[in-house]
Amino acid sequence: QVQLVESGGGLVQAGDSLRLSCTASGGTFSNYAMAWFRQAPGKEREIVGAITRSGVGRYYADSVKGRFTISRDNAKNTVHLQMNSLQLEDTAVYYCAASSAGPSYWTSSYGHWGQGIQVTVSS
């Protein structure tokens, strides 16, 4: 019973930074582990990063490790994805997801999804 809405996407130049936000309503936000996934045209949805309920534990895909940072503010019911040093291969629709169990790299672990938001990186 949680709804997720992403914001902050857009068009940026390679090497630039962008911050995505996901705001949750309904349910109890602190009960959910959160994650960001992305999906490029013709490709499977893949994990970007995940964060534990408390925000202490953070996990990243190898492709974004060192460039992206996931964080959450439970008082604001919001999770963020700070994306630095963006490259062409980062172009995708980015999705916010919530899990009542715990953080995971697999889409099947997440029962609630946002609508997705476009991130486009140009050279």
Side-chain angles (χ1 to χ4, degrees), residues 5-12 17-21 36-42 81 83 86-96 114-122:
V5 179
E6 302 97 336
S7 62
L11 174 65
V12 298
S17 297
L18 196 64
R19 188 167 97 141
L20 303 182
S21 298
W36 288 95
F37 289 79
R38 67 186 182 187
Q39 187 167 21
L81 183 68
M83 303 182 291
L86 283 162
Q87 302 299 318
L88 295 178
E89 61 266 30
D90 296 317
T91 295
V93 175
Y94 283 70
Y95 296 89
C96 177
Q115 79 281 6
I117 190 165
Q118 180 71 44
V119 172
T120 302
V121 184
S122 63

Short mmCIF file of all heavy atoms in Angstrom, two decimals, residues 5-12 17-21 36-42 81 83 86-96 114-122:
data_model
loop_
_atom_site.label_atom_id
_atom_site.label_comp_id
_atom_site.label_asym_id
_atom_site.label_seq_id
_atom_site.Cartn_x
_atom_site.Cartn_y
_atom_site.Cartn_z
N VAL A 5 6.80 7.91 -6.40
CA VAL A 5 6.84 8.86 -7.49
C VAL A 5 8.26 9.39 -7.63
O VAL A 5 8.80 9.99 -6.69
CB VAL A 5 5.86 10.03 -7.28
CG1 VAL A 5 5.96 11.02 -8.43
CG2 VAL A 5 4.44 9.52 -7.14
N GLU A 6 8.86 9.19 -8.82
CA GLU A 6 10.21 9.67 -9.09
C GLU A 6 10.18 11.08 -9.65
O GLU A 6 9.22 11.50 -10.30
CB GLU A 6 10.92 8.75 -10.08
CG GLU A 6 11.04 7.30 -9.64
CD GLU A 6 9.96 6.42 -10.24
OE1 GLU A 6 8.88 6.95 -10.60
OE2 GLU A 6 10.19 5.20 -10.36
N SER A 7 11.28 11.80 -9.43
CA SER A 7 11.45 13.13 -9.99
C SER A 7 12.93 13.41 -10.16
O SER A 7 13.77 12.72 -9.59
CB SER A 7 10.79 14.20 -9.12
OG SER A 7 11.40 14.25 -7.83
N GLY A 8 13.26 14.43 -10.94
CA GLY A 8 14.63 14.88 -11.08
C GLY A 8 15.36 14.40 -12.32
O GLY A 8 16.55 14.71 -12.48
N GLY A 9 14.71 13.66 -13.18
CA GLY A 9 15.35 13.19 -14.40
C GLY A 9 15.48 14.30 -15.42
O GLY A 9 15.05 15.44 -15.21
N GLY A 10 16.09 13.95 -16.55
CA GLY A 10 16.24 14.93 -17.61
C GLY A 10 17.40 14.61 -18.51
O GLY A 10 17.92 13.50 -18.54
N LEU A 11 17.82 15.62 -19.26
CA LEU A 11 18.91 15.50 -20.23
C LEU A 11 20.15 16.21 -19.69
O LEU A 11 20.07 17.38 -19.30
CB LEU A 11 18.49 16.12 -21.56
CG LEU A 11 19.56 16.23 -22.64
CD1 LEU A 11 20.01 14.85 -23.09
CD2 LEU A 11 19.03 17.04 -23.82
N VAL A 12 21.27 15.50 -19.68
CA VAL A 12 22.53 16.07 -19.22
C VAL A 12 23.64 15.68 -20.18
O VAL A 12 23.50 14.76 -20.99
CB VAL A 12 22.89 15.63 -17.79
CG1 VAL A 12 21.85 16.11 -16.79
CG2 VAL A 12 23.05 14.12 -17.72
N SER A 17 26.42 15.75 -13.51
CA SER A 17 25.77 15.09 -12.39
C SER A 17 24.27 15.35 -12.41
O SER A 17 23.80 16.35 -12.97
CB SER A 17 26.34 15.59 -11.05
OG SER A 17 27.71 15.28 -10.93
N LEU A 18 23.54 14.44 -11.78
CA LEU A 18 22.09 14.55 -11.70
C LEU A 18 21.64 13.85 -10.43
O LEU A 18 22.23 12.83 -10.05
CB LEU A 18 21.44 13.92 -12.92
CG LEU A 18 19.97 14.24 -13.24
CD1 LEU A 18 19.81 15.72 -13.56
CD2 LEU A 18 19.50 13.38 -14.40
N ARG A 19 20.60 14.37 -9.78
CA ARG A 19 20.07 13.72 -8.59
C ARG A 19 18.61 13.38 -8.79
O ARG A 19 17.78 14.26 -9.05
CB ARG A 19 20.22 14.61 -7.35
CG ARG A 19 19.85 13.87 -6.06
CD ARG A 19 20.29 14.61 -4.82
NE ARG A 19 19.23 15.42 -4.24
CZ ARG A 19 19.03 15.55 -2.92
NH1 ARG A 19 19.83 14.94 -2.06
NH2 ARG A 19 18.05 16.32 -2.48
N LEU A 20 18.30 12.11 -8.66
CA LEU A 20 16.92 11.63 -8.71
C LEU A 20 16.35 11.55 -7.31
O LEU A 20 17.06 11.25 -6.35
CB LEU A 20 16.84 10.26 -9.37
CG LEU A 20 17.42 10.11 -10.78
CD1 LEU A 20 17.22 8.69 -11.28
CD2 LEU A 20 16.79 11.13 -11.72
N SER A 21 15.05 11.78 -7.20
CA SER A 21 14.35 11.64 -5.93
C SER A 21 13.13 10.76 -6.11
O SER A 21 12.53 10.72 -7.18
CB SER A 21 13.92 13.01 -5.40
OG SER A 21 15.03 13.84 -5.14
N TRP A 36 16.99 1.56 -6.52
CA TRP A 36 16.86 2.15 -7.85
C TRP A 36 17.25 1.12 -8.89
O TRP A 36 18.29 0.48 -8.76
CB TRP A 36 17.74 3.39 -8.00
CG TRP A 36 17.26 4.58 -7.24
CD1 TRP A 36 17.65 4.97 -6.00
CD2 TRP A 36 16.30 5.54 -7.69
NE1 TRP A 36 17.00 6.13 -5.63
CE2 TRP A 36 16.16 6.49 -6.65
CE3 TRP A 36 15.55 5.70 -8.86
CZ2 TRP A 36 15.29 7.58 -6.76
CZ3 TRP A 36 14.69 6.78 -8.95
CH2 TRP A 36 14.57 7.70 -7.92
N PHE A 37 16.41 0.97 -9.90
CA PHE A 37 16.69 0.14 -11.06
C PHE A 37 16.68 1.02 -12.29
O PHE A 37 16.21 2.16 -12.26
CB PHE A 37 15.64 -0.96 -11.21
CG PHE A 37 15.72 -2.05 -10.18
CD1 PHE A 37 15.20 -1.87 -8.92
CD2 PHE A 37 16.32 -3.27 -10.49
CE1 PHE A 37 15.27 -2.88 -7.97
CE2 PHE A 37 16.39 -4.28 -9.56
CZ PHE A 37 15.87 -4.08 -8.29
N ARG A 38 17.20 0.49 -13.38
CA ARG A 38 17.12 1.21 -14.65
C ARG A 38 16.91 0.22 -15.79
O ARG A 38 17.28 -0.94 -15.70
CB ARG A 38 18.36 2.06 -14.90
CG ARG A 38 19.64 1.27 -15.13
CD ARG A 38 20.83 2.23 -15.22
NE ARG A 38 22.08 1.52 -15.48
CZ ARG A 38 23.26 2.10 -15.47
NH1 ARG A 38 23.37 3.41 -15.22
NH2 ARG A 38 24.36 1.39 -15.73
N GLN A 39 16.32 0.72 -16.87
CA GLN A 39 16.05 -0.10 -18.03
C GLN A 39 16.25 0.71 -19.30
O GLN A 39 15.58 1.72 -19.51
CB GLN A 39 14.62 -0.67 -17.99
CG GLN A 39 14.32 -1.67 -19.08
CD GLN A 39 13.03 -2.42 -18.82
OE1 GLN A 39 12.16 -1.97 -18.08
NE2 GLN A 39 12.90 -3.59 -19.43
N ALA A 40 17.18 0.27 -20.12
CA ALA A 40 17.42 0.88 -21.41
C ALA A 40 16.56 0.17 -22.46
O ALA A 40 16.17 -0.98 -22.27
CB ALA A 40 18.89 0.79 -21.78
N PRO A 41 16.26 0.83 -23.58
CA PRO A 41 15.43 0.21 -24.62
C PRO A 41 15.99 -1.13 -25.08
O PRO A 41 17.17 -1.24 -25.39
CB PRO A 41 15.46 1.23 -25.75
CG PRO A 41 15.68 2.54 -25.06
CD PRO A 41 16.61 2.22 -23.92
N GLY A 42 15.13 -2.15 -25.11
CA GLY A 42 15.54 -3.47 -25.57
C GLY A 42 16.34 -4.28 -24.57
O GLY A 42 16.78 -5.38 -24.90
N LEU A 81 19.00 9.29 -5.48
CA LEU A 81 20.11 8.70 -6.21
C LEU A 81 20.93 9.83 -6.80
O LEU A 81 20.49 10.49 -7.74
CB LEU A 81 19.61 7.76 -7.32
CG LEU A 81 20.72 7.04 -8.09
CD1 LEU A 81 21.42 6.01 -7.19
CD2 LEU A 81 20.16 6.35 -9.33
N MET A 83 23.87 10.90 -8.99
CA MET A 83 24.60 10.32 -10.10
C MET A 83 25.65 11.31 -10.58
O MET A 83 25.33 12.40 -11.05
CB MET A 83 23.65 9.97 -11.25
CG MET A 83 22.53 9.02 -10.84
SD MET A 83 21.45 8.56 -12.22
CE MET A 83 20.63 10.13 -12.52
N LEU A 86 28.31 11.09 -15.20
CA LEU A 86 27.38 10.35 -16.04
C LEU A 86 27.97 10.08 -17.42
O LEU A 86 28.66 10.93 -17.99
CB LEU A 86 26.07 11.12 -16.18
CG LEU A 86 25.15 11.03 -14.96
CD1 LEU A 86 24.12 12.14 -14.97
CD2 LEU A 86 24.48 9.66 -14.91
N GLN A 87 27.70 8.90 -17.93
CA GLN A 87 28.19 8.47 -19.22
C GLN A 87 27.02 8.05 -20.10
O GLN A 87 25.90 7.87 -19.63
CB GLN A 87 29.17 7.31 -19.06
CG GLN A 87 30.37 7.63 -18.18
CD GLN A 87 31.21 8.77 -18.73
OE1 GLN A 87 31.46 8.84 -19.94
NE2 GLN A 87 31.66 9.65 -17.85
N LEU A 88 27.29 7.89 -21.40
CA LEU A 88 26.24 7.55 -22.35
C LEU A 88 25.49 6.28 -21.96
O LEU A 88 24.28 6.20 -22.14
CB LEU A 88 26.82 7.41 -23.76
CG LEU A 88 27.40 8.67 -24.40
CD1 LEU A 88 27.97 8.34 -25.77
CD2 LEU A 88 26.33 9.75 -24.53
N GLU A 89 26.21 5.30 -21.42
CA GLU A 89 25.59 4.03 -21.06
C GLU A 89 24.66 4.14 -19.86
O GLU A 89 23.96 3.17 -19.53
CB GLU A 89 26.66 2.96 -20.81
CG GLU A 89 27.61 3.29 -19.68
CD GLU A 89 28.88 3.97 -20.15
OE1 GLU A 89 28.85 4.68 -21.18
OE2 GLU A 89 29.93 3.79 -19.49
N ASP A 90 24.64 5.28 -19.19
CA ASP A 90 23.72 5.50 -18.08
C ASP A 90 22.34 5.91 -18.56
O ASP A 90 21.41 6.00 -17.76
CB ASP A 90 24.26 6.56 -17.13
CG ASP A 90 25.55 6.14 -16.45
OD1 ASP A 90 25.64 4.97 -16.01
OD2 ASP A 90 26.46 6.97 -16.34
N THR A 91 22.19 6.18 -19.84
CA THR A 91 20.90 6.56 -20.40
C THR A 91 19.90 5.42 -20.23
O THR A 91 20.14 4.29 -20.68
CB THR A 91 21.03 6.92 -21.87
OG1 THR A 91 21.85 8.09 -22.01
CG2 THR A 91 19.67 7.20 -22.49
N ALA A 92 18.78 5.70 -19.58
CA ALA A 92 17.77 4.67 -19.31
C ALA A 92 16.58 5.32 -18.61
O ALA A 92 16.64 6.48 -18.20
CB ALA A 92 18.34 3.57 -18.42
N VAL A 93 15.52 4.55 -18.47
CA VAL A 93 14.44 4.91 -17.57
C VAL A 93 14.80 4.37 -16.20
O VAL A 93 15.10 3.19 -16.05
CB VAL A 93 13.09 4.35 -18.03
CG1 VAL A 93 12.00 4.65 -17.01
CG2 VAL A 93 12.71 4.92 -19.39
N TYR A 94 14.77 5.23 -15.20
CA TYR A 94 15.13 4.85 -13.85
C TYR A 94 13.88 4.67 -13.00
O TYR A 94 12.97 5.51 -13.03
CB TYR A 94 16.04 5.92 -13.23
CG TYR A 94 17.46 5.84 -13.73
CD1 TYR A 94 17.76 6.20 -15.03
CD2 TYR A 94 18.48 5.38 -12.91
CE1 TYR A 94 19.06 6.12 -15.51
CE2 TYR A 94 19.78 5.30 -13.38
CZ TYR A 94 20.07 5.66 -14.69
OH TYR A 94 21.36 5.58 -15.15
N TYR A 95 13.84 3.58 -12.24
CA TYR A 95 12.69 3.22 -11.43
C TYR A 95 13.06 3.14 -9.96
O TYR A 95 14.09 2.57 -9.60
CB TYR A 95 12.13 1.86 -11.85
CG TYR A 95 11.58 1.80 -13.25
CD1 TYR A 95 12.40 1.47 -14.32
CD2 TYR A 95 10.24 2.06 -13.50
CE1 TYR A 95 11.90 1.41 -15.61
CE2 TYR A 95 9.73 2.00 -14.78
CZ TYR A 95 10.56 1.67 -15.83
OH TYR A 95 10.06 1.60 -17.11
N CYS A 96 12.20 3.68 -9.14
CA CYS A 96 12.28 3.53 -7.70
C CYS A 96 11.45 2.32 -7.29
O CYS A 96 10.38 2.08 -7.85
CB CYS A 96 11.75 4.80 -7.03
SG CYS A 96 11.69 4.77 -5.23
N GLY A 114 7.76 2.69 -8.79
CA GLY A 114 7.36 3.98 -9.31
C GLY A 114 7.09 3.89 -10.80
O GLY A 114 7.24 2.83 -11.43
N GLN A 115 6.69 4.99 -11.39
CA GLN A 115 6.32 5.02 -12.81
C GLN A 115 7.53 5.06 -13.73
O GLN A 115 7.39 4.80 -14.93
CB GLN A 115 5.41 6.23 -13.09
CG GLN A 115 6.15 7.57 -13.22
CD GLN A 115 6.53 8.19 -11.90
OE1 GLN A 115 6.38 7.60 -10.83
NE2 GLN A 115 7.05 9.42 -11.96
N GLY A 116 8.68 5.37 -13.21
CA GLY A 116 9.89 5.50 -14.00
C GLY A 116 10.11 6.92 -14.46
O GLY A 116 9.17 7.68 -14.67
N ILE A 117 11.38 7.29 -14.61
CA ILE A 117 11.73 8.63 -15.06
C ILE A 117 12.94 8.55 -15.98
O ILE A 117 13.88 7.80 -15.74
CB ILE A 117 11.99 9.57 -13.87
CG1 ILE A 117 12.11 11.02 -14.32
CG2 ILE A 117 13.21 9.13 -13.06
CD1 ILE A 117 12.00 12.00 -13.17
N GLN A 118 12.90 9.32 -17.07
CA GLN A 118 13.94 9.25 -18.09
C GLN A 118 15.18 10.02 -17.69
O GLN A 118 15.10 11.17 -17.24
CB GLN A 118 13.41 9.79 -19.41
CG GLN A 118 14.42 9.75 -20.56
CD GLN A 118 14.70 8.35 -21.03
OE1 GLN A 118 13.77 7.55 -21.19
NE2 GLN A 118 15.97 8.04 -21.25
N VAL A 119 16.33 9.38 -17.88
CA VAL A 119 17.62 10.04 -17.77
C VAL A 119 18.34 9.84 -19.09
O VAL A 119 18.55 8.71 -19.52
CB VAL A 119 18.47 9.48 -16.62
CG1 VAL A 119 19.89 10.05 -16.65
CG2 VAL A 119 17.81 9.77 -15.28
N THR A 120 18.70 10.93 -19.74
CA THR A 120 19.39 10.86 -21.03
C THR A 120 20.72 11.60 -20.92
O THR A 120 20.75 12.76 -20.51
CB THR A 120 18.54 11.48 -22.14
OG1 THR A 120 17.28 10.80 -22.23
CG2 THR A 120 19.26 11.38 -23.48
N VAL A 121 21.79 10.91 -21.30
CA VAL A 121 23.12 11.49 -21.26
C VAL A 121 23.62 11.63 -22.69
O VAL A 121 23.64 10.66 -23.45
CB VAL A 121 24.08 10.62 -20.45
CG1 VAL A 121 25.45 11.29 -20.35
CG2 VAL A 121 23.52 10.35 -19.06
N SER A 122 24.03 12.82 -23.05
CA SER A 122 24.52 13.10 -24.39
C SER A 122 26.01 13.41 -24.36
O SER A 122 26.55 13.87 -23.34
CB SER A 122 23.76 14.26 -25.02
OG SER A 122 23.96 15.46 -24.30
#
